[in-house]
Amino acid sequence: MKFIKKNCKYLRYILLLIISIIPTIFTSASFYKINIENGIEETAKTLEILGRRQLVSVIDWKNEFIYDLSALAQFTLAQNFNKNQVSKMIEYMKFNKPSYREIYVITDKNEIICGFIINKKEFLNSFVIKSALSGAEKMSEVIKINDKLYIDIAVPIFDEENIKGAVCARIDLESLNTLMKSIENNETIESLIVDKNGLLLTDTKYFPEAKGNLKIDIQKIKTSIDFSKTIPYKDYRGIEVLGCYFNINDTGWTLIVQKDVDTVKKQNKTIIDIGKYTSLFQILGLIALKKLKEENIINEEIAKKIEDKIM
């Protein structure tokens, strides 16, 4: 009889444990679903904020070159296109900013007074030079030479009335790559810049040889993100990511900021696991407390204080 009574007591504890755990499981499952949805929304907001900051940095990077070249244009005009003086200034600029592969000064008569170019005719007929000689600042499409990426930026030289010539610089895009690495400070988030054809202009975290070689379907990605920033799409690896994009004005380039969906889920799962284990320890603590009370090992007042701390 005593044996049966003892077994019944343990059976009560087991039933209490089971009854307590079942709601916890259902609550955890519901909470996991809600938390995933919230996690995705929060991730989308984080990517948007980070992307806007990075966009400002990229625009500032480009504008810095335009500012330099505009200053050189005014200096050239002030020196009346004196080749010796202008060449010294160009050497100073290239020394202080190695991103300049070459800087050219062209008169309104299509005479190149500074800068070495092999195919003069093709260069002078290029879109950026013609635009600058017409009075407009322009940037070329990406130029690939010996596996390195460059762009040409040209600005006009003008006085109060007339266009007098143009200044053009060939710029190494490795400086853009360096910039992106310095502002991408989150290990779980990746930022990419692609041109209008989807060619990657900056390094990726996963494919070392992708820059200048790998093309992505940028229009498909934009369409997916435009439809919903909280619905995953597949990136250049074929992995599901959440992302947002930003058009970089006057370049034709696009900045993409993305994060693996699995990373978001893992982060949320860790939070849920902590909650589940905490709930389980609370249940076991309450069961142990009840047993101690029944066997009069602790009194009611102490038990109440312990119960308040557990809860």
Side-chain angles (χ1 to χ4, degrees):
M1 192 72 173
K2 188 177 179 181
F3 177 76
I4 294 172
K5 188 177 180 180
K6 188 177 180 181
N7 280 345
C8 286
K9 188 191 289 186
Y10 286 124
L11 185 60
R12 274 206 318 274
Y13 294 139
I14 293 169
L15 288 172
L16 178 61
L17 181 62
I18 293 170
I19 292 167
S20 301
I21 286 174
I22 288 172
T24 303
I25 292 171
F26 282 109
T27 303
S28 295
S30 301
F31 185 64
Y32 180 73
K33 184 180 178 182
I34 294 167
N35 206 46
I36 280 290
E37 290 172 358
N38 289 339
I40 286 174
E41 288 177 4
E42 286 301 315
T43 298
K45 289 177 184 177
T46 300
L47 295 176
E48 183 83 19
I49 293 168
L50 181 61
R52 290 193 183 281
R53 290 174 183 168
Q54 293 181 347
L55 178 63
V56 170
S57 296
V58 173
I59 292 172
D60 286 346
W61 170 86
K62 172 178 170 281
N63 287 342
E64 191 176 318
F65 290 112
I66 292 175
Y67 176 82
D68 286 352
L69 296 178
S70 297
L72 177 62
Q74 293 306 307
F75 177 82
T76 302
L77 185 65
Q79 295 295 324
N80 198 28
F81 287 83
N82 183 290
K83 182 175 181 178
N84 186 46
Q85 294 299 321
V86 174
S87 295
K88 287 179 181 179
M89 178 59 74
I90 288 174
E91 288 306 311
Y92 175 79
M93 290 174 64
K94 289 166 71 175
F95 177 80
N96 282 279
K97 194 175 288 185
S99 301
Y100 289 120
R101 183 173 187 249
E102 188 58 274
I103 300 176
Y104 309 94
V105 175
I106 305 104
T107 69
D108 57 349
K109 306 297 183 185
N110 275 351
E111 179 189 358
I112 302 174
I113 67 165
C114 293
F116 174 76
I117 189 75
I118 295 175
N119 194 331
K120 181 180 176 181
K121 185 177 180 181
E122 182 181 346
F123 176 72
L124 292 174
N125 287 325
S126 67
F127 173 69
V128 289
I129 298 300
K130 283 192 170 184
S131 296
L133 290 174
S134 298
E137 298 171 355
K138 287 295 177 182
M139 188 185 92
S140 72
E141 293 186 12
V142 175
I143 303 161
K144 189 174 182 180
I145 303 172
N146 298 327
D147 292 327
K148 295 197 75 173
L149 303 179
Y150 302 91
I151 53 169
D152 287 345
I153 294 180
V155 301
I157 302 172
F158 55 87
D159 59 17
E160 293 180 357
E161 296 180 356
N162 302 307
I163 305 296
K164 296 295 184 178
V167 172
C168 177
R170 179 150 293 179
I171 297 162
D172 189 344
L173 287 189
E174 187 57 35
S175 60
L176 176 63
N177 197 45
T178 302
L179 171 70
M180 291 304 294
K181 286 178 180 178
S182 69
I183 60 179
E184 190 181 280
N185 53 13
N186 190 312
E187 290 183 1
T188 63
I189 294 175
E190 182 172 34
S191 300
L192 310 165
I193 293 179
V194 300
D195 71 2
K196 67 178 184 180
N197 300 312
L199 180 70
L200 283 163
L201 306 182
T202 55
D203 284 334
T204 70
K205 287 186 175 181
Y206 306 98
F207 295 167
E209 304 300 322
K211 183 183 68 175
N213 296 307
L214 181 65
K215 285 186 178 182
I216 63 174
D217 191 338
I218 185 61
Q219 292 307 319
K220 185 176 180 181
I221 290 173
K222 284 184 175 182
T223 301
S224 176
I225 294 172
D226 286 340
F227 180 75
S228 175
K229 291 180 181 178
T230 58
I231 296 178
Y233 62 90
K234 289 188 177 180
D235 72 350
Y236 62 94
R237 301 165 294 160
I239 301 295
E240 285 197 334
V241 297
L242 294 168
C244 59
Y245 75 86
F246 303 87
N247 294 318
I248 304 171
N249 293 340
D250 302 321
T251 63
W253 299 351
T254 304
L255 167 66
I256 302 171
V257 187
Q258 62 185 34
K259 183 172 184 174
D260 290 3
V261 172
D262 282 347
T263 303
V264 179
K265 289 181 178 178
K266 283 176 184 176
Q267 289 173 342
N268 284 293
K269 186 176 181 301
T270 301
I271 295 169
I272 297 298
D273 286 344
I274 292 170
K276 284 194 294 187
Y277 294 138
T278 302
S279 299
L280 182 59
F281 286 135
Q282 284 178 333
I283 293 165
L284 292 173
L286 291 172
I287 291 171
L289 185 61
K290 184 174 181 181
K291 184 172 178 9
L292 292 171
K293 279 165 47 178
E294 287 178 355
E295 295 181 0
N296 294 320
I297 296 174
I298 59 174
N299 60 38
E300 199 68 38
E301 185 182 348
I302 295 173
K304 183 69 172 70
K305 288 181 180 179
I306 296 172
E307 187 175 341
D308 289 341
K309 286 185 178 180
I310 292 173
M311 296 304 288

